[in-house]
Amino acid sequence: MADLDRLAAGHGIVRSYHALDGTLTRAPDEAVRALLKVLGVDPETGQPPPVPADWPPPPEAPQDAACYLPEFLQEGRAWGITCQLYGLRSGRNWGIGDFEDLARLGEMAARKGADFLGVNPLHALFLAEPQKASPFSPSDRSFLNPLYIAVDQVEGFIPGHDLDETALNALNEAVLVDYTAVSEHKLRVLRNIHRRGAGPSRSAFDAFVEASGEPLRRYALFEAVSLEMAGRGYGAGWMSWPEPFRDPAGEAVAEFARDHADEVEFQMWLQWLADRQLGTAARRLREAGMRIGLYLDLAVGTAPDGAATWSDRSLTVVGAEIGAPPDMFNPAGQSWGLAPLSPSGIAAGGFAPVRRSYQSILRHAGALRIDHAMSLYRLFWIPAGFPAGAGAYVLYPMADMLRVLAEVSQASRALIIGEDLGVVPEGFRHEMDRANLLGYRIFYFERDPNGFVPPERWQRSALACVGSHDTTTLAAWWTGSDIQLRLEIGLFDEAAAQKERETRRREKDQAIAALHRCGMHEAGEAFDETVAAGIHRLVAMAPARLVAAQMEDLLGLTEQPNVPGTVDTHPNWRRKLPVTIEELEEVPTLRAVLEGLSRERPRAP
């Protein structure tokens, strides 16, 4: 092993790895040197620690780390619904889905036999730049997005005084979520309620603030400074601020906190409202009969200039972003614009920050999906200034990460799902299974050389679904409209589109044949509720402990929430559902799919 290789290995950098197609790829020397500098190691003078002979170490879960698994899922199965909360429509919301909508959708799903309701990540984003709408690029994963607060449910709200009917109608009629207008409208009314001093007793809020401690105060302070800086022409993120405001412990920030105490308290009050309403929604789902209840989502990282990195610089790495190596879908690799957690930083903190992050998101959840679960073992780091494909994997202390996750899971009585798609290290899924960490299986990808894998051969320890927020919807897949969309927005050229159409024709024929083999002979060429119900029933027949149906597929929509690889050419994270919650039960596709799921996976008495 060359000196650079030994130095990299000694500091947890795995520069050679197998890509998705099995080929061995090696990170360039320049990128490895840059990553060493990011880790605080001089690549020219650094002395490598001893490197184990079996480097890199395999993924390994500690023998005593087991995530919570409800008794009814030891042998049984369940199903649920997933949705993009922002996209829910109702007769009462303010242009964006909110926590009251979440509760009402869950109560409807529970009546149909669902055991859980999953949502996109609810993490705090940037109130100063609400158009930064990706729920997977949070400012801080430990706090909630206040735009999901149902303002009409806040005590002290005065409809005739606070409501601007004209503005509200415009927000509700829009096809896409207008985050800027929603933010302006909601925050104006919430500020008025806060100024009036209305709402529940002060003691409940004070107790929340005391229990949340310094992390809440720093988050609220960040938001207050961020709004002020944006008003002065700077960006919402701290890296664009004047130097004195980049240090949360500096005198400039301390003076700001004294001068803007009301605004800091307002930001903490918003978190209290959001936490309270989310807790109420979770309780209503359980009371409606769901055995799991609320199923939340944890993003894999945070924005490099958000509240989390500003509040504690030791926990995240500046100078690198996380992403994915090149594969057949993204030949140039992917850079996700997220700051990686520092392996040494979280270890030095006794894994307390990681524990706190899990505890905060599992306060009200019965299940948690961990985006890119391989982050428990390794992440693909891309040094600043390098192309996405020129990164390398950096290892994390998996045994300790899993132990903390399992402890919080058991204490919260919440099951954990790990999204294990993409480049998965050898042995990782075995360790997931050993730790009761459910995998994630998507219908489109469950294939072998003979076509779609029969449902009886699917993994038991998994959540199975037709598609996700990052894949095409079932209606678009069946009709091929997703191929046309990718051609129109430049992700395909005509040759690639034609090749994909030919592949899709074969895959569709195989899907129809699979439906016929399972006795669903009425499924044909055209997409309708029969096809939708059939494909979902096919997935539900699998032994997988959980099955999820996403709202876009329940409504037969062709538009997907997010098209990976796009920024401005597709309205990612902005689409609303075309019908309100009050109208959902009248949609034939939804009725057919939910009836089929309930028959295939009936809820036990």
Side-chain angles (χ1 to χ4, degrees), residues 30-354:
E30 296 79 6
V32 173
R33 291 191 180 95
L35 287 178
L36 284 167
K37 291 178 181 178
V38 166
L39 292 170
V41 179
D42 188 325
E44 306 305 327
T45 62
Q47 294 299 313
V51 179
D54 60 345
W55 175 263
E60 188 172 5
Q63 293 290 337
D64 57 346
C67 296
Y68 174 74
L69 192 66
E71 186 176 345
F72 78 90
L73 283 180
Q74 298 289 343
E75 302 296 332
R77 304 179 304 166
W79 66 275
I81 288 174
T82 61
C83 72
Q84 304 298 312
L85 179 53
Y86 60 82
L88 297 184
R89 287 182 184 267
S90 69
R92 45 146 300 280
N93 77 29
W94 290 23
I96 187 172
D98 58 31
F99 292 130
E100 177 65 18
D101 292 330
L102 183 67
R104 295 187 184 190
L105 175 61
E107 288 167 340
M108 182 278 287
R111 290 196 301 272
K112 302 295 184 181
D115 272 314
F116 63 87
L117 174 59
V119 291
N120 55 281
L122 304 179
H123 308 314
L125 304 181
F126 293 84
L127 284 181
E129 291 188 46
Q131 69 274 16
K132 288 184 173 180
S134 171
F136 289 94
S137 298
S139 172
D140 196 314
R141 299 184 298 176
S142 295
F143 298 100
L144 295 167
N145 186 346
L147 296 188
Y148 291 132
I149 293 171
V151 183
D152 62 332
Q153 303 298 306
V154 176
E155 188 172 338
F157 169 69
I158 307 172
H161 182 271
D162 292 325
L163 210 56
D164 182 338
E165 291 286 357
T166 302
L168 196 58
N169 289 338
L171 291 174
N172 284 332
E173 290 171 4
V175 175
L176 304 176
V177 178
D178 185 341
Y179 286 98
T180 300
V182 166
S183 177
E184 291 173 355
H185 197 63
K186 282 198 169 189
L187 291 182
R188 177 183 61 78
V189 176
L190 287 166
R191 286 186 194 280
N192 288 340
I193 299 173
H194 182 253
R195 289 192 191 105
R196 292 197 296 262
S201 67
R202 177 80 190 195
S203 60
F205 169 61
D206 289 343
F208 173 79
V209 171
E210 183 177 356
S212 302
E214 182 64 12
L216 173 62
R217 191 194 74 84
R218 282 217 172 174
Y219 164 77
L221 183 55
F222 171 88
E223 277 300 312
V225 177
S226 178
L227 287 164
E228 176 72 17
M229 290 297 112
R232 296 185 192 178
Y234 299 99
W238 63 267
M239 290 182 181
S240 69
W241 299 348
E243 192 66 38
F245 289 93
R246 298 184 187 186
D247 180 7
E251 180 54 35
V253 173
E255 182 180 351
F256 179 93
R258 291 190 294 269
D259 294 343
H260 298 79
D262 286 347
E263 178 63 24
V264 174
E265 181 186 277
F266 174 65
Q267 294 296 334
M268 292 192 290
W269 184 72
L270 291 180
Q271 287 302 309
W272 175 58
L273 289 179
D275 179 79
R276 189 164 173 263
Q277 289 193 356
L278 183 61
T280 298
R283 173 178 53 77
R284 287 169 61 178
L285 266 54
R286 293 277 194 167
E287 291 175 350
M290 287 188 172
R291 292 178 291 180
I292 296 171
L294 197 57
Y295 162 28
L296 297 183
D297 203 326
L298 179 68
V300 68
T302 62
D305 57 352
T309 59
W310 182 77
S311 299
D312 190 342
R313 215 62 53 81
S314 69
L315 295 181
T316 49
V317 172
V318 176
E321 295 182 350
I322 57 177
D327 58 34
M328 61 193 75
F329 304 108
N330 299 278
Q334 300 177 62
S335 181
W336 299 333
L338 301 174
L341 283 174
S342 166
S344 59
I346 57 178
F351 298 90
V354 176

Side-chain angles (χ1 to χ4, degrees), residues 447 451-452 477 499-512:
R447 302 174 50 77
F452 286 98
W477 187 87
K499 181 179 180 181
E500 186 65 21
R501 291 187 192 103
E502 294 167 359
T503 300
R504 184 67 55 79
R505 177 67 267 174
R506 293 193 298 272
E507 292 175 343
K508 184 178 174 182
D509 289 343
Q510 292 167 351
I512 293 173

